[in-house]
Amino acid sequence: MKEIIVTVKKEFVNKYKKGYPLILEEALENTKSLKEEGQIITLIDENKAFLGKGYYGKQNKGCGWILSNSKNSNLDYKFFYDKIRNAFSKRIKLYHSRDTSCFRVFNGEGDGIGGLTIDYFDEYYLITWYSKGMYEFKDNILKAIKSLVSFDGIYEKKRFEENGMVVDEDSYVCGKKAPEPLVVKENSVNFAIYLNDGAMVGVFLDQKEVRKSIRDKYSRGKSVLNTFSYTGAFSMAAAKGGAITTSVDLASRSLEKTTENFTINNINPAKHKIIVEDVFLYFKRAKKEELKFDVVILDPPSFATSKDNRFSAAKDYKDLMKSAIEITEDKGLIIASTNCATFNMAKFKKFIDDAFKECNKNYEILEEHSLPEDFAVTDKFLEGNYLKVVFVRMY
Ligand code: SAH
């Protein structure tokens, strides 16, 4: 494909000189030459000095990624092979782990290729392409994976439908078809994975350390409320640690999926509650019924619209936190999590602080988490470290 040269606006030159990897449309003098996704772009400044080389691919944010800071680098098979080999070799310890068989092996710009992630689920690989442009490199990337590792099968998600949704089609790429479910484990907790069932496969791998902490330190003999519970991954961690859990999610699939996860962990689902309900209505009901929990977990999506509510983490987290405070036992724990990339940890803690002040309660932060090590991040792109989790003791 033809390489194109694009000039960066003066006010953005410094940003790119410092190694910022995301190509922003507003940073480019002229975007007319950007026509076909997957085109190789060379960015230069107004004096024609080289700034970086990357590809054109439209995502929610940005229109491509810089992949190399060297003028002479060809974005060819060897380039992708080296990046992927390097990323896989950094996860060697995880590959050898006896009690974990699911983790991220390639994390976008953190591993040198923005727009691409690869997850490992017990001998299966799941590739996520974040733009049509990235997808143009599919042959080289598949070839690199095939030459580096043995596997049972490969699946893919094309996350480049309107609004970054996943293209609705079969996810199978090659090799053996995965069993449904494919049972994987994380720190000896089992999860049922469906590689070919829409955008989400059953577990969010970025919460691994949070789940471990919940199980090991805060669950024995406790009552745990898990809100926005999805397949109940946090509930599994808590139940394994000796808690009685209540999981609340609006999606009716959550009942069946959470029950299945309990079953494959040899936990009797009948001892736990799985409630299909809007969390905001549940909070109202719980308050009226004067329910209290030792631990409340909040892990909402960044945006959620239901029949009765519209939630935006950036606007409404404080109120969500206040609802949680009202139904948490004295000296209880609230685990507040968000994957919203539009605010940072300092701002997130401010939402938490405001909520406690408005409720006239004191608190102490016990733990803070961001992405685990397999979700590699680069200090050139801080937005990439989106996960923020705070464990708060209330008193
Ligand atoms: N905490 C989960 C992941 C949450 S994904 C985990 O660790 O695996 C977001 C979930 O929020 C989805 O399952 C979605 O169905 C649910 N959700 C979105 N809006 C909701 C609402 N108003 N009430 C309850 N659940 C909601």
Side-chain angles (χ1 to χ4, degrees):
M1 206 178 277
K2 213 180 100 221
E3 291 194 25
I4 45 172
I5 296 172
V6 183
T7 309
V8 168
K9 284 183 190 160
K10 226 180 175 156
E11 62 268 34
F12 286 94
V13 164
N14 253 336
K15 199 176 175 91
Y16 288 105
K17 274 193 180 153
K18 282 192 208 138
Y20 189 73
L22 182 63
I23 303 177
L24 299 166
E25 206 161 332
E26 65 264 34
L28 308 179
E29 281 292 358
N30 192 333
T31 54
K32 262 195 237 143
S33 53
L34 302 179
K35 290 200 181 88
E36 279 172 73
E37 291 206 33
Q39 270 177 318
I40 303 292
I41 310 180
T42 293
L43 295 185
I44 54 168
D45 69 10
E46 71 272 32
N47 301 317
K48 303 210 166 11
F50 174 84
L51 291 172
K53 203 173 199 181
Y55 71 93
Y56 174 47
K58 280 191 183 166
Q59 289 184 215
N60 274 356
K61 253 192 86 186
C63 63
W65 292 90
I66 293 178
L67 302 185
S68 173
N69 294 313
S70 145
K71 210 194 271 186
N72 302 323
S73 143
N74 289 318
L75 303 180
D76 53 8
Y77 172 64
K78 186 173 181 318
F79 174 87
F80 289 103
Y81 175 88
D82 285 347
K83 292 279 185 222
I84 293 172
R85 189 193 53 186
N86 190 32
F88 285 11
S89 66
K90 281 189 188 154
R91 278 81 170 177
I92 274 296
K93 246 172 116 179
L94 284 167
Y95 275 110
H96 289 300
S97 163
R98 281 160 166 268
D99 55 10
T100 296
S101 63
C102 55
F103 47 91
R104 178 151 292 191
V105 286
F106 196 96
N107 194 42
E109 71 287 350
D111 283 303
I113 307 175
L116 169 75
T117 63
I118 309 174
D119 293 322
Y120 174 80
F121 293 99
D122 197 11
E123 301 301 329
Y124 286 86
Y125 286 86
L126 176 67
I127 308 173
T128 304
W129 316 97
Y130 283 82
S131 68
K132 289 186 182 128
M134 187 72 251
Y135 191 67
E136 289 293 318
F137 300 98
K138 176 171 175 174
D139 289 349
N140 277 339
I141 288 163
L142 275 180
K143 190 173 155 197
I145 297 173
K146 286 177 184 168
S147 74
L148 282 163
V149 285
S150 62
F151 54 81
D152 282 350
I154 298 182
Y155 283 70
E156 68 181 354
K157 302 288 173 197
K158 298 178 189 169
R159 201 173 276 274
F160 47 73
E161 200 68 293
E162 287 286 301
N163 301 323
M165 303 287 273
V166 164
V167 178
D168 185 16
E169 59 180 36
D170 199 295
S171 307
Y172 169 78
V173 178
C174 65
K176 278 199 285 190
K177 298 246 165 133
E180 299 207 342
L182 169 67
V183 177
V184 300
K185 55 190 176 173
E186 176 197 85
N187 295 313
S188 306
V189 179
N190 293 330
F191 293 116
I193 301 298
Y194 292 82
L195 291 177
N196 210 354
D197 188 20
M200 307 195 286
V201 299
V203 70
F204 290 99
L205 297 174
D206 55 0
Q207 296 278 12
K208 156 169 54 188
E209 284 168 4
V210 177
R211 284 189 284 264
K212 184 167 192 307
S213 205
I214 290 173
R215 182 193 61 189
D216 293 349
K217 298 194 229 164
Y218 305 103
S219 294
R220 181 131 319 273
K222 302 290 191 216
S223 60
V224 174
L225 172 66
N226 179 13
T227 64
F228 307 94
S229 56
Y230 180 42
T231 57
F234 286 127
S235 307
M236 299 312 129
K240 278 276 188 181
I244 294 297
T245 67
T246 301
S247 305
V248 183
D249 196 292
L250 186 60
S252 45
R253 63 166 186 235
S254 65
L255 174 59
E256 179 194 330
K257 302 253 178 200
T258 307
T259 305
E260 178 175 49
N261 273 331
F262 277 126
T263 309
I264 62 171
N265 279 294
N266 298 318
I267 298 165
N268 182 357
K271 298 229 159 82
H272 298 262
K273 280 200 184 121
I274 304 166
I275 300 172
V276 175
E277 189 178 4
D278 188 316
V279 162
F280 302 98
L281 299 181
Y282 177 82
F283 273 130
K284 281 189 196 147
R285 193 159 64 81
K287 192 181 165 189
K288 216 155 106 207
E289 292 173 15
E290 295 180 14
L291 297 182
K292 294 261 177 177
F293 295 89
D294 299 316
V295 179
V296 176
I297 301 169
L298 301 173
D299 182 31
S302 297
F303 298 96
T305 310
S306 64
K307 194 163 82 347
D308 303 287
N309 277 290
R310 184 177 284 258
F311 174 83
S312 141
K315 283 203 197 105
D316 306 317
Y317 212 106
K318 184 190 76 181
D319 289 337
L320 179 67
M321 193 71 197
K322 283 167 78 175
S323 304
I325 291 169
E326 285 173 342
I327 61 163
T328 303
E329 292 281 7
D330 235 11
K331 300 203 175 73
L333 183 73
I334 298 176
I335 298 169
S337 168
T338 182
N339 57 10
C340 187
T342 63
F343 55 85
N344 62 15
M345 186 57 122
K347 193 154 174 207
F348 188 41
K349 284 196 201 156
K350 175 87 168 72
F351 295 152
I352 294 171
D353 188 65
D354 287 346
F356 277 99
K357 280 200 179 116
E358 287 178 28
C359 292
N360 281 317
K361 293 276 185 192
N362 294 312
Y363 70 96
E364 180 192 356
I365 291 179
L366 302 184
E367 286 188 26
E368 286 174 34
H369 292 266
S370 54
L371 288 174
E373 220 183 340
D374 48 330
F375 282 66
V377 290
T378 162
D379 57 3
K380 312 278 189 228
F381 190 72
L382 296 175
E383 307 96 291
N385 198 348
Y386 55 85
L387 185 68
K388 296 166 274 291
V389 187
V390 185
F391 287 47
V392 200
R393 169 82 64 215
M394 181 171 107
Y395 63 91

